[in-house]
Amino acid sequence: MKTPPIVTAQEWEAARQQLLVKEKELTRARDALAAERRRMPWLAVEKDYEFGGPEATASLLDLFEGRRQLVVYRAFYEPGVDGWPGHACRGCSLVADQVAHVAHLNARDTTLMFVSRAPQPDIARVKARMGWTMPWYTITDDFDADFGVDEWHGTNAFFRDGDQVFRTYFINSRGDEAMGSTWSYLDITALGRQEQWEDSPASYPQTPPYEWWNWHDEYSDTQPAQRWSAQVERGIQAGQARRRP
């Protein structure tokens, strides 16, 4: 293994500062891309879908759990997939291992959901074995084929306006590599991180950063389920009509 040169502390810091310029450019470019996502047109979901859950069947609307936004990752765990029945796909399992505590997403009125074709007893077993706690439902119809995840993993973002659901964004392949953090999920949603520094349409809800952040076990029942949803409602009503297909 041929290693880079060994240098002094001053030379090392100079080299780091050179790369820092490029890192900041990449960060700004990533923020600009997320801003473009927030201006993407929406696709109305007209078809009904049904998922198997731990206690009962659920519709796509049910998967929102009453929140405005939904992020759905299609994980490959089913007969025929390498690892079955003891494990899900290695790559999908790596993604699952990276998922941050969902309470922070919930605090931004966003639900994260995993879906697979495996029956619920198998999903419950593998979640317990691997220590995964995110909600995980069973695909029972054409959801995977209709949303581009029947042959490969992928992450779909949806928005709920009353009982109407819209598809707002989709990533797959290497785009899924970056998923797992609270920020990476929020950056693909229609509302983004909902912080004041973001470049978002004027009607979108935003609050100061840091102020909404909390320990994952200390978000109150009204943060954001009632108070934050009311802010989203007021912001979205002003611009929603222009964004409907």
Side-chain angles (χ1 to χ4, degrees):
M1 179 177 175
K2 185 177 180 180
T3 65
I6 309 302
V7 297
T8 65
Q10 292 79 8
E11 291 171 324
W12 186 91
E13 182 59 26
R16 191 188 76 87
Q17 289 296 329
Q18 284 185 327
L19 282 180
L20 186 59
V21 173
K22 295 182 178 180
E23 288 179 358
K24 289 184 178 297
E25 291 175 352
L26 178 61
T27 298
R28 288 191 289 268
R30 188 169 58 245
D31 291 340
L33 177 60
E36 289 190 48
R37 291 189 187 117
R38 292 189 288 277
R39 291 167 172 84
M40 271 276 295
W42 294 0
L43 176 66
V45 179
E46 306 290 358
K47 190 173 176 179
D48 293 329
Y49 296 96
E50 186 175 272
F51 302 84
E55 299 177 358
T57 59
S59 66
L60 181 60
L61 189 63
D62 292 331
L63 298 192
F64 281 78
E65 296 182 340
R67 301 184 181 92
R68 279 286 192 173
Q69 300 192 126
L70 171 67
V71 176
V72 180
Y73 176 72
R74 197 277 204 243
F76 275 85
Y77 178 49
E78 60 198 60
V81 173
D82 184 37
W84 174 265
H87 279 295
C89 152
R90 286 179 172 83
C92 295
S93 297
L94 192 151
V95 171
D97 279 338
Q98 297 176 160
V99 173
H101 202 289
V102 298
H104 304 295
L105 287 173
N106 298 165
R108 293 279 93 172
D109 215 7
T110 303
T111 297
L112 175 67
M113 192 70 60
F114 273 44
V115 296
S116 297
R117 283 203 170 268
Q120 280 297 302
D122 295 298
I123 290 175
R125 185 180 65 251
V126 80
K127 284 180 64 177
R129 173 176 180 172
M130 302 301 289
W132 297 328
T133 58
M134 75 287 287
W136 199 319
Y137 278 69
T138 301
I139 302 169
T140 66
D141 48 31
D142 296 330
F143 175 86
D144 48 1
D146 291 347
F147 291 98
V149 289
D150 54 329
E151 297 182 356
W152 196 244
H153 59 83
T155 305
N156 278 280
F158 298 94
F159 187 89
R160 179 182 66 84
D161 181 22
D163 290 339
Q164 177 65 67
V165 174
F166 300 92
R167 188 190 195 194
T168 60
Y169 206 68
F170 173 64
I171 63 167
N172 62 358
S173 298
R174 290 196 64 191
D176 274 328
E177 288 182 356
M179 305 312 293
S181 75
T182 300
W183 309 123
S184 63
Y185 286 123
L186 290 177
D187 282 348
I188 68 167
T189 64
L191 298 181
R193 304 185 186 191
Q194 303 156 52
E195 295 185 340
Q196 289 176 339
W197 62 270
E198 286 182 297
D199 175 13
S200 293
S203 61
Y204 278 34
Q206 292 183 321
T207 58
Y210 297 99
E211 290 187 8
W212 70 270
W213 303 2
N214 207 346
W215 296 282
H216 73 250
D217 62 345
E218 292 198 12
Y219 287 110
S220 67
D221 291 339
T222 58
Q223 183 185 346
Q226 298 173 10
R227 178 172 54 81
W228 181 245
S229 290
Q231 293 177 358
V232 174
E233 181 70 33
R234 290 192 295 269
I236 291 300
Q237 282 179 347
Q240 180 67 20
R242 297 192 302 272
R243 299 182 61 88
R244 295 190 186 204

